[in-house]
Amino acid sequence: MAHQQDENGDISAAPTRGKQGGMGDVRPYKHTSTHIATVPSKSRQLADHPRKVPKRARIDSVQANSELAPASSILFPVEIWGIILEYLATINTRSHIAALTRLCARVRYEAEAVLYHAPTVATTAAVVSFAKTVAKCERRARAVRELSVQPHGHISDERYLKALRPALFKVPRLSTLNVVMPPHFRGTGDHIIELLRGTQLPLKSIRGITFLLEANIATGLREFANLEDLRTDTIVWQETGRIATLTHLYITTPLDEEALTRLVKVYGSQLASLRITRALGQYDGRRFPGKVFPWEKMRKLRYLHIDDIGRSVTYLPGEQADLSEPYPVALETLIWTPTWARGRMMSEYAVAEGDTPRDRIISLRQFAKRALLTWPTLKTVLYEWQLNGMFQCWISSSKRGKEREASEEQKDPEAWARVE
C-alpha cells in the first residue's frame, strides 16, 4: 500500500517496504532486530601473549630473529600509531594489532593498551591464560577497562569462576563487566556478587545479567561506590532502600501504576536513563506516554525506553496524546513499543475491535511528531512496528517530520546503559 502525506506531513497509510523519506512518506525496510551478541569466536578471544599470531599477520619490518626494531626506524610518531591502532580495533583486526607489538617498545605499549582494553574470556582456557597474563604483567593488567565473561555453559562452571576470581584482583582500572548469559537463564545474580566481593574494583557498570535485588545482593552492590547502571528483575524497596549512585536503571519485571509511582519516588530525581515495561492490563484507547509520567520529579532523565503489555478494549478514533505542561525538562530520546505495534499475533490480540493497522501506524507517527514539536528537549522518538523493526523519527530544520530505520546502535538492547 502506498503512503499518502497530508499538508502537515503526517501519515495516512500503513507502511510498506521501500526507500526512506519524510514521516509521511516512509516505506520501512523489512528488518529483524539483533539482540544480545553471541560469544566471540576463538580467533577473537584474548591470547596468552599478543605475539602468538599467524605468520601472515606479521609485518615485514619484524626481523627474522624476533628482535624489536629501534625506535628511530619507526616512520610515524607514537601518537599516529595510537590513531592507527584505535582504527584497527574498530574493524576487529586483533591479529594485526598483536603484530604491531613487535615494532618497538613505544608502539608495543600503545598496541597492548588497545589489545587489553576490553578483552573477552569466554572459555576456561581463555580465563586461565588471561589470569596468568594480568598476574605477570602489571602494565597489561592496568590497561583492562572492560571485561566480557561467560560464567555458564562450561564443562565445569566452578573451575571457570575459580580461575576468574583472582584475575579480578589484578585489574585495578576495570570499570565495566559484561556478563554473557545463556538464553533463558534464570538466576538471582548472587554468583556474580560472590565473584566480585572484596575486589574493590571501580565498577560503574555490570551489564548482561539481571539481578534479583534482594537485601544480600543490594548490600554486595553497595561495595562499588561508582556503580551507575543496573539491570534488575525486581526492586524490593523495603529491604534494599536506595542505591544512591545509580543513574541508569532497567527493570525487567512489568510495573503497574503503583510500582511505577514508587520507582519514581525513590529513583526519579537521580536517573539519567530508564528502561521499563508498563503492565497496563485492559485499558481504553492508546495509553500514550505523556502526562502519566511525573516529569517534574525526573529532572535528569535524558533517555526513556518504554515497553507496554496489556490490551486495548476500546478504540477511540482520533485520540491524541496529552502533551501539555509540565514538559520533560531533560528528555532527549524516547523509545515506545506499545503492545498493539508488535508482531501480528500479539498486536491482533492487543487491539480493540475496529482498530486497523493503518490507524495504529498513523497514531504512532502523529504522537512522535507532536512530541518532538512540543517537548523542548526531545530530539528523537523511536518505535517498533510489527516485524519490520525499529524506526527513528526526528524533526528537520524545516519543521517536517522525518523517519528512517534505526541504527544498530539505537537498536542495541543495552543502549540504555550507554547513555552519557
Side-chain angles (χ1 to χ4, degrees), residues 46-314:
L46 183 67
D48 184 23
H49 196 288
R51 286 181 290 185
K52 292 183 178 180
V53 297
K55 289 184 178 180
R56 65 178 180 274
R58 299 181 182 176
I59 61 177
D60 294 338
S61 62
V62 178
Q63 300 177 3
N65 62 5
S66 297
E67 296 177 357
L68 294 178
S72 60
S73 68
I74 304 304
L75 180 62
F76 303 125
V78 69
E79 293 80 9
I80 300 299
W81 281 111
I83 296 173
I84 294 172
L85 291 162
E86 289 177 3
Y87 170 73
L88 290 174
T90 64
I91 57 176
N92 297 321
T93 54
R94 293 181 62 86
S95 62
H96 291 78
I97 299 174
L100 290 172
T101 64
R102 307 292 298 279
L103 280 177
C104 73
R106 293 181 68 190
V107 175
R108 169 193 277 181
Y109 300 156
E110 292 291 327
E112 287 182 350
V114 174
L115 279 173
Y116 289 92
H117 179 82
T120 295
V121 286
T123 66
T124 302
V127 165
V128 171
S129 177
F130 174 71
K132 290 179 180 178
T133 298
V134 296
K136 186 167 53 177
C137 183
E138 183 181 357
R139 184 182 68 254
R140 295 172 185 169
R142 291 178 66 82
V144 179
R145 305 300 178 87
E146 182 174 339
L147 180 64
S148 296
V149 302
Q150 185 179 354
H152 297 283
H154 310 283
I155 295 176
S156 173
D157 292 346
E158 183 179 355
R159 183 174 174 228
Y160 179 96
L161 294 171
K162 186 177 181 181
L164 179 59
R165 180 164 165 77
L168 294 175
F169 285 85
K170 299 293 184 180
V171 285
R173 295 183 176 180
L174 183 67
S175 61
T176 300
L177 182 68
N178 297 314
V179 185
V180 181
M181 304 298 292
H184 311 300
F185 177 87
R186 298 292 296 175
T188 63
D190 57 328
H191 60 300
I192 299 299
I193 295 298
E194 288 303 315
L195 181 69
L196 295 170
R197 194 177 300 279
T199 58
Q200 297 183 334
L201 290 168
L203 280 175
K204 293 184 177 180
S205 177
I206 305 174
R207 299 174 184 167
I209 186 167
T210 301
F211 287 98
L212 179 63
L213 208 57
E214 297 172 334
N216 62 319
I217 295 177
T219 300
L221 290 172
R222 286 197 185 92
E223 288 187 17
F224 305 102
N226 299 314
L227 190 65
E228 294 179 352
D229 63 73
L230 179 69
R231 179 162 68 179
T232 176
D233 186 55
T234 56
I235 294 288
V236 187
W237 311 101
Q238 293 81 1
E239 295 182 12
T240 65
R242 184 170 67 95
I243 300 177
T245 55
L246 282 186
T247 56
H248 298 61
L249 182 62
Y250 175 14
I251 302 179
T252 59
T253 300
L255 303 176
D256 59 20
E257 186 172 350
E258 180 182 356
L260 183 57
T261 300
R262 284 188 290 138
L263 167 67
V264 172
K265 181 179 180 180
V266 176
Y267 282 108
S269 63
Q270 68 189 65
L271 292 179
S273 174
L274 175 63
R275 180 172 179 177
I276 58 170
T277 298
R278 296 192 299 176
L280 299 178
Q282 294 190 349
Y283 58 92
D284 297 327
R286 301 281 187 224
R287 289 300 296 269
F288 295 103
K291 296 278 283 187
V292 295
F293 287 90
W295 301 116
E296 68 280 2
K297 297 179 181 179
M298 308 168 80
R299 304 191 66 82
K300 297 180 180 179
L301 191 69
R302 298 192 300 275
Y303 180 98
L304 178 61
H305 184 147
I306 305 167
D307 296 308
D308 285 346
I309 58 172
R311 183 171 184 266
S312 174
V313 295
T314 305

Side-chain angles (χ1 to χ4, degrees), residues 380-416:
T380 301
V381 175
L382 298 108
Y383 69 88
E384 292 186 38
W385 178 251
Q386 296 189 353
L387 301 180
N388 290 309
M390 181 178 287
F391 300 92
Q392 173 193 1
C393 305
W394 77 100
I395 298 298
S396 69
S397 57
S398 60
K399 302 299 182 182
R400 293 178 61 85
K402 293 289 189 177
E403 182 179 279
R404 64 187 170 201
E405 185 176 10
S407 67
E408 292 301 319
E409 183 179 359
Q410 290 170 324
K411 290 183 284 190
D412 184 355
E414 298 296 318
W416 64 275

